Amino acid sequence: MDNKIRKPIISRDFNFNQKVIFVDGQPGCGKTMLSSILSSLKNVELNTFLFELEFICRLYYLKKIDEDAVNSLIKMLVDFKLYNSMMGREVNFRYSDISSAFNDPNALRYFKRIFQSGDETIPAKIKKTKPILNIASHDLLGMSEPIFKSLGDKVTILEVIRHPLYMLIQQTLNFERLQNNPRDVQINISYNNKELPYYTYGWEELFLDSNSVERAIYTMNHCINFTQKAKNFPLKKYKDQVITIPFENFVLNPDQYVNKITEAIGVKHTRITKKTMKKQKVPRRKISDGIPLKIYKRCGWVPPDRKLTEKEELEKRREFAFKSNASSKSLKVLDALCKQYESKIWRPE
């Protein structure tokens, strides 16, 4: 008898094989705005989250899980999320949440599912109606290679980017409120008996020596560079499945981007798409003219000053960094990020 322990290969060949959209980006980039608009498109589901998938991709990046297990788990989780959504399970009915079914442009479909037949009828229903999962993810693109390998041409990732100064306040507040907080369910690494976010791997000392606003600056810098390197390689082969959407350009002139998305996933606008865009204040005259929701205010959003230009709005946010005791070193990093964004993406007037 062979006493050697044979290591099994984890596999999943049978799956629903439906399209999936990921709306990805850093905190404060505008993911929820775009996800809400997407759910108004034909066959696209209510925006939702799949944190387990994010955790798996990060563990794979940290070489803590095998590739065959990652690929199978991604297929399983996506199928399970779709199955439960079509069953009326795990749908968010919390009224005040942005991702609530009550805020969906076609909310009635989720109430109907609660009373419709389920279980063995669901696979045929999925095959007939071809629902598209609409998943909001958090800075996942740089570690998304396993997603492309697992889901193939069924996946499209919308990369939402935004001027660093428009993301700075929210990310600073996140470090003040969520660091070392049980509410922050995230992959952490151990470093000198301290728990740090997974993305600090390789620059732990700089993170530890920084205050909240400096951590926000250095984290943005790391994530932007890390994602760009991944897009150059190994994600270059999947470039046609990644659509980069600058927030500023989208909210000012959305049609070209909406058309690009619908073409990529093979769906059409519906009669409620324009209404949903209007609800999200898209298009708008000023970048910061968002929706006055409590959660946005909690994350640092304030109504725009009509007397200020776009450039002056940004200067006000840089002043926040200075008043929050950002070091001269971190301010140089922030200014470099802003210069890069303005030279390549959007220049404020």
Side-chain angles (χ1 to χ4, degrees):
M1 184 176 178
D2 189 358
N3 290 324
K4 288 184 177 180
I5 299 176
R6 180 173 58 87
K7 189 175 182 180
I9 297 175
I10 309 302
S11 177
R12 181 175 176 79
D13 289 332
F14 300 101
N15 58 294
F16 293 129
N17 201 31
Q18 296 300 316
K19 293 178 182 178
V20 184
I21 308 173
F22 286 86
V23 182
D24 187 61
Q26 294 192 47
C29 72
K31 294 189 296 288
T32 54
M33 175 270 299
L34 182 58
S35 294
S36 298
I37 293 172
L38 287 181
S39 62
S40 73
L41 301 177
K42 185 174 175 59
N43 293 358
V44 178
E45 293 284 294
L46 167 71
N47 62 303
T48 188
F49 302 94
L50 195 51
F51 290 100
E52 299 90 338
L53 188 148
E54 297 183 30
F55 301 155
I56 290 167
C57 287
R58 287 162 188 161
L59 288 172
Y60 178 72
Y61 162 72
L62 295 169
K63 295 180 170 53
K64 291 295 183 179
I65 186 170
D66 293 335
E67 185 174 3
D68 60 326
V70 169
N71 291 341
S72 296
L73 280 169
I74 289 172
K75 291 177 182 177
M76 291 166 60
L77 286 169
V78 167
D79 278 356
F80 196 48
K81 173 65 75 173
L82 181 58
Y83 179 83
N84 279 335
S85 179
M86 297 299 288
M87 283 278 288
R89 294 172 176 162
E90 297 185 7
V91 176
N92 184 4
F93 285 102
R94 181 177 169 82
Y95 187 78
S96 60
D97 283 2
I98 295 176
S99 59
S100 170
F102 288 99
N103 289 323
D104 187 75
N106 191 10
L108 187 59
R109 58 180 162 172
Y110 297 101
F111 291 93
K112 286 181 177 179
R113 288 176 187 177
I114 297 173
F115 302 100
Q116 292 171 343
S117 59
D119 301 314
E120 68 276 359
T121 68
I122 296 301
K125 189 178 294 185
I126 290 174
K127 187 176 181 179
K128 179 181 179 181
T129 60
K130 294 180 170 49
I132 300 173
L133 278 180
N134 174 12
I135 300 172
S137 56
H138 305 79
D139 197 41
L140 183 61
L141 181 58
M143 300 179 183
S144 64
E145 187 181 15
I147 295 173
F148 288 109
K149 285 185 174 181
S150 302
L151 304 179
D153 61 3
K154 296 295 181 181
V155 62
T156 300
I157 296 184
L158 309 181
E159 177 198 21
V160 185
I161 58 175
R162 193 172 185 178
H163 196 292
L165 287 173
Y166 268 122
M167 300 189 291
L168 179 65
I169 297 177
Q170 178 174 335
Q171 294 199 29
T172 301
L173 292 175
N174 284 350
F175 282 116
E176 291 178 357
R177 298 168 179 174
L178 294 176
Q179 193 71 40
N180 301 318
N181 187 321
R183 288 185 61 240
D184 184 27
V185 181
Q186 184 55 274
I187 298 294
N188 290 330
I189 59 174
S190 179
Y191 180 79
N192 289 344
N193 297 319
K194 294 183 176 65
E195 280 198 1
L196 303 180
Y198 71 93
Y199 49 77
T200 64
Y201 183 56
W203 55 285
E204 295 92 341
E205 288 294 339
L206 177 60
F207 184 85
L208 287 170
D209 291 340
S210 301
N211 61 28
S212 294
V213 70
E214 292 166 346
R215 289 179 176 184
I217 293 169
Y218 292 134
T219 297
M220 282 193 291
N221 183 58
H222 167 79
C223 292
I224 289 169
N225 292 332
F226 182 86
T227 301
Q228 188 56 54
K229 287 180 181 178
K231 288 171 69 176
N232 293 337
F233 181 83
L235 298 181
K236 191 174 182 179
K237 67 181 77 171
Y238 307 111
K239 64 180 181 179
D240 292 338
Q241 293 172 249
V242 178
I243 301 175
T244 301
I245 301 178
F247 178 88
E248 296 82 7
N249 294 341
F250 182 89
V251 298
L252 295 176
N253 298 290
D255 289 347
Q256 60 174 318
Y257 295 101
V258 174
N259 291 336
K260 194 171 184 178
I261 293 167
T262 55
E263 183 179 346
I265 62 176
V267 301
K268 298 179 179 179
H269 308 81
T270 67
R271 57 182 177 78
I272 53 177
T273 299
K274 287 294 184 182
K275 181 187 289 188
T276 305
M277 292 172 66
K278 186 176 181 180
K279 185 178 179 181
Q280 295 295 325
K281 289 194 173 182
V282 175
R284 60 184 66 164
R285 292 183 178 180
K286 199 168 185 180
I287 303 298
S288 57
D289 192 17
I291 309 173
L293 297 178
K294 285 184 179 180
I295 186 171
Y296 291 160
K297 293 178 180 178
R298 195 170 72 234
C299 292
W301 179 85
V302 293
D305 188 334
R306 301 297 177 186
K307 298 178 182 179
L308 299 182
T309 64
E310 296 286 9
K311 189 173 182 179
E312 289 169 337
E313 282 283 1
L314 290 180
E315 289 172 353
K316 184 172 67 174
R317 286 158 177 77
R318 191 187 184 283
E319 185 68 15
F320 165 84
F322 181 79
K323 290 182 178 180
S324 299
N325 298 317
S327 65
S328 58
K329 178 183 175 181
S330 67
L331 286 173
K332 285 181 180 179
V333 173
L334 178 62
D335 290 340
L337 288 175
C338 295
K339 184 178 180 180
Q340 181 183 39
Y341 193 86
E342 291 173 13
S343 65
K344 294 182 177 180
I345 308 298
W346 172 76
R347 182 179 296 276
E349 299 296 338

Coordinates of all heavy atoms in Angstrom, one line a residue, residues 127-164:
K127 N -30.3 30.3 -17.4 CA -30.0 30.1 -18.8 C -30.9 30.9 -19.8 O -30.5 31.4 -20.8 CB -30.2 28.6 -19.2 CG -29.7 28.2 -20.6 CD -29.7 26.7 -20.8 CE -29.2 26.4 -22.2 NZ -29.3 24.9 -22.4
K128 N -32.2 31.1 -19.4 CA -33.1 31.8 -20.2 C -33.0 33.3 -20.1 O -33.0 34.0 -21.1 CB -34.6 31.4 -19.8 CG -35.6 32.1 -20.6 CD -37.0 31.7 -20.1 CE -38.1 32.5 -20.9 NZ -39.5 32.1 -20.4
T129 N -32.8 33.8 -18.9 CA -32.8 35.3 -18.7 C -31.4 35.9 -18.8 O -31.3 37.1 -18.9 CB -33.4 35.6 -17.3 OG1 -32.7 35.0 -16.3 CG2 -34.9 35.2 -17.2
K130 N -30.4 35.1 -18.6 CA -29.0 35.5 -18.7 C -28.7 36.8 -17.8 O -28.2 37.8 -18.3 CB -28.7 35.9 -20.2 CG -28.7 34.7 -21.1 CD -28.4 35.1 -22.6 CE -28.2 33.9 -23.5 NZ -29.2 32.8 -23.3
P131 N -28.9 36.6 -16.5 CA -28.6 37.7 -15.6 C -27.0 38.0 -15.6 O -26.2 37.1 -15.7 CB -29.1 37.3 -14.3 CG -29.0 35.8 -14.4 CD -29.3 35.4 -15.8
I132 N -26.7 39.2 -15.4 CA -25.3 39.6 -15.3 C -25.0 40.2 -13.9 O -25.6 41.1 -13.5 CB -24.9 40.7 -16.3 CG1 -25.2 40.2 -17.7 CG2 -23.5 41.2 -16.2 CD1 -25.1 41.2 -18.8
L133 N -24.1 39.5 -13.2 CA -23.7 40.0 -11.9 C -23.0 41.3 -11.9 O -22.2 41.5 -12.8 CB -22.8 38.9 -11.2 CG -23.5 37.7 -10.5 CD1 -22.4 36.8 -9.9 CD2 -24.4 38.2 -9.4
N134 N -23.3 42.2 -11.0 CA -22.7 43.5 -10.9 C -22.0 43.7 -9.6 O -22.7 44.0 -8.6 CB -23.9 44.5 -11.1 CG -23.5 46.0 -10.9 OD1 -22.3 46.3 -10.9 ND2 -24.5 46.8 -10.8
I135 N -20.7 43.4 -9.6 CA -20.0 43.3 -8.3 C -19.1 44.5 -8.1 O -18.3 44.8 -9.0 CB -19.1 42.0 -8.3 CG1 -20.0 40.8 -8.4 CG2 -18.3 42.0 -7.0 CD1 -19.3 39.5 -8.6
A136 N -19.2 45.2 -7.0 CA -18.3 46.3 -6.7 C -17.2 45.8 -5.9 O -17.4 45.1 -4.9 CB -19.1 47.4 -5.8
S137 N -16.0 46.0 -6.3 CA -14.8 45.5 -5.6 C -13.9 46.6 -5.2 O -14.0 47.7 -5.7 CB -14.1 44.5 -6.5 OG -13.7 45.0 -7.8
H138 N -12.9 46.2 -4.4 CA -12.1 47.3 -3.7 C -10.6 47.1 -4.1 O -9.9 46.2 -3.6 CB -12.3 47.2 -2.2 CG -13.7 47.3 -1.8 ND1 -14.6 46.2 -1.9 CD2 -14.4 48.3 -1.3 CE1 -15.8 46.6 -1.4 NE2 -15.7 47.9 -1.1
D139 N -10.2 47.9 -5.1 CA -8.8 47.9 -5.5 C -8.3 46.5 -5.8 O -7.2 46.0 -5.3 CB -7.9 48.5 -4.4 CG -6.5 48.9 -5.0 OD1 -6.5 49.4 -6.1 OD2 -5.5 48.7 -4.3
L140 N -9.1 45.8 -6.6 CA -8.8 44.4 -6.9 C -8.1 44.1 -8.2 O -7.5 43.1 -8.4 CB -10.1 43.6 -6.9 CG -10.1 42.1 -7.2 CD1 -9.3 41.4 -6.1 CD2 -11.5 41.6 -7.2
L141 N -8.1 45.1 -9.1 CA -7.6 44.9 -10.5 C -6.2 44.4 -10.5 O -5.8 43.5 -11.3 CB -7.7 46.2 -11.3 CG -7.3 46.1 -12.8 CD1 -8.0 45.1 -13.5 CD2 -7.4 47.5 -13.4
G142 N -5.4 45.0 -9.7 CA -3.9 44.6 -9.7 C -3.7 43.1 -9.3 O -2.7 42.5 -9.6
M143 N -4.7 42.5 -8.7 CA -4.6 41.1 -8.3 C -5.6 40.2 -8.9 O -6.0 39.2 -8.4 CB -4.7 41.0 -6.7 CG -3.7 41.7 -6.0 SD -3.9 41.6 -4.2 CE -2.6 42.7 -3.6
S144 N -6.1 40.7 -10.1 CA -7.3 40.1 -10.7 C -7.0 39.0 -11.7 O -7.9 38.4 -12.3 CB -8.1 41.1 -11.4 OG -7.4 41.7 -12.5
E145 N -5.7 38.6 -11.9 CA -5.4 37.6 -12.9 C -6.1 36.3 -12.7 O -6.6 35.7 -13.6 CB -3.9 37.4 -12.9 CG -3.5 36.4 -14.1 CD -2.0 36.1 -14.1 OE1 -1.3 36.4 -13.1 OE2 -1.5 35.6 -15.2
P146 N -6.3 35.8 -11.4 CA -7.0 34.6 -11.2 C -8.5 34.7 -11.7 O -9.1 33.7 -12.1 CB -6.9 34.4 -9.7 CG -5.7 35.1 -9.3 CD -5.7 36.3 -10.2
I147 N -9.1 35.9 -11.6 CA -10.4 36.1 -12.0 C -10.6 35.9 -13.5 O -11.5 35.2 -14.0 CB -10.9 37.5 -11.6 CG1 -11.0 37.6 -10.1 CG2 -12.3 37.8 -12.2 CD1 -11.3 39.0 -9.6
F148 N -9.6 36.5 -14.3 CA -9.7 36.3 -15.7 C -9.4 34.9 -16.1 O -10.0 34.3 -17.0 CB -8.6 37.2 -16.4 CG -9.0 38.7 -16.3 CD1 -8.3 39.6 -15.5 CD2 -10.0 39.2 -17.2 CE1 -8.6 40.9 -15.5 CE2 -10.3 40.5 -17.1 CZ -9.6 41.4 -16.3
K149 N -8.5 34.2 -15.4 CA -8.2 32.8 -15.7 C -9.4 31.9 -15.4 O -9.6 30.9 -16.2 CB -7.0 32.3 -14.9 CG -5.6 32.9 -15.4 CD -4.5 32.3 -14.6 CE -3.1 32.7 -15.2 NZ -2.0 32.0 -14.5
S150 N -10.1 32.2 -14.4 CA -11.2 31.4 -14.0 C -12.5 31.6 -14.8 O -13.1 30.7 -15.2 CB -11.6 31.7 -12.5 OG -10.5 31.4 -11.7
L151 N -12.8 32.9 -15.1 CA -14.1 33.3 -15.7 C -13.9 33.5 -17.2 O -14.9 33.6 -17.9 CB -14.7 34.5 -15.0 CG -14.9 34.3 -13.5 CD1 -15.5 35.6 -13.0 CD2 -15.8 33.2 -13.2
G152 N -12.7 33.6 -17.7 CA -12.4 33.7 -19.1 C -13.1 35.0 -19.7 O -13.1 36.1 -19.1
D153 N -13.6 34.9 -20.9 CA -14.2 36.1 -21.6 C -15.5 36.5 -21.0 O -16.2 37.4 -21.6 CB -14.3 35.8 -23.1 CG -15.2 34.7 -23.4 OD1 -15.8 34.1 -22.5 OD2 -15.3 34.4 -24.6
K154 N -16.0 35.9 -20.0 CA -17.3 36.2 -19.4 C -17.2 37.4 -18.4 O -18.2 38.0 -18.0 CB -17.9 35.0 -18.6 CG -18.2 33.8 -19.5 CD -19.3 34.2 -20.4 CE -19.7 33.0 -21.3 NZ -20.8 33.3 -22.3
V155 N -15.9 37.8 -18.1 CA -15.7 38.9 -17.1 C -15.3 40.2 -17.8 O -14.5 40.1 -18.7 CB -14.7 38.4 -16.0 CG1 -13.3 38.2 -16.6 CG2 -14.6 39.5 -14.9
T156 N -15.8 41.3 -17.3 CA -15.4 42.6 -17.7 C -15.1 43.4 -16.4 O -15.9 43.4 -15.5 CB -16.4 43.4 -18.5 OG1 -16.7 42.6 -19.7 CG2 -16.0 44.8 -18.9
I157 N -14.0 44.0 -16.3 CA -13.6 44.9 -15.1 C -13.6 46.3 -15.5 O -12.9 46.7 -16.5 CB -12.3 44.5 -14.5 CG1 -12.3 43.0 -14.0 CG2 -11.9 45.4 -13.4 CD1 -11.1 42.6 -13.2
L158 N -14.5 47.1 -14.9 CA -14.5 48.6 -15.1 C -13.6 49.2 -14.0 O -14.0 49.2 -12.8 CB -15.9 49.1 -15.0 CG -17.0 48.4 -15.8 CD1 -18.3 49.0 -15.7 CD2 -16.6 48.4 -17.3
E159 N -12.5 49.8 -14.4 CA -11.6 50.4 -13.5 C -11.9 51.9 -13.3 O -11.7 52.6 -14.3 CB -10.1 50.2 -14.0 CG -9.1 50.9 -13.1 CD -7.8 51.1 -13.8 OE1 -7.7 51.1 -15.1 OE2 -6.8 51.3 -13.1
V160 N -12.5 52.2 -12.2 CA -12.8 53.6 -11.9 C -11.6 54.3 -11.3 O -11.1 53.9 -10.3 CB -14.1 53.8 -11.0 CG1 -14.5 55.2 -10.9 CG2 -15.2 52.9 -11.6
I161 N -11.2 55.4 -11.9 CA -10.0 56.2 -11.4 C -10.5 57.6 -11.1 O -11.5 58.1 -11.7 CB -8.8 56.2 -12.3 CG1 -9.2 56.7 -13.7 CG2 -8.3 54.8 -12.4 CD1 -8.0 56.9 -14.6
R162 N -9.8 58.3 -10.2 CA -10.2 59.6 -9.9 C -9.0 60.4 -9.4 O -8.0 59.9 -9.0 CB -11.3 59.6 -8.8 CG -12.0 60.9 -8.5 CD -13.2 60.7 -7.6 NE -14.0 61.9 -7.4 CZ -15.1 62.0 -6.7 NH1 -15.5 60.9 -6.0 NH2 -15.8 63.1 -6.6
H163 N -9.1 61.7 -9.5 CA -8.1 62.6 -9.0 C -7.7 62.3 -7.6 O -8.6 62.2 -6.7 CB -8.5 64.1 -9.2 CG -7.3 65.0 -9.1 ND1 -6.6 65.3 -8.0 CD2 -6.7 65.8 -10.1 CE1 -5.7 66.2 -8.2 NE2 -5.7 66.5 -9.5
P164 N -6.4 62.1 -7.2 CA -6.1 61.7 -5.9 C -6.6 62.7 -4.8 O -7.0 62.2 -3.7 CB -4.5 61.8 -5.9 CG -4.2 61.5 -7.3 CD -5.3 62.2 -8.1

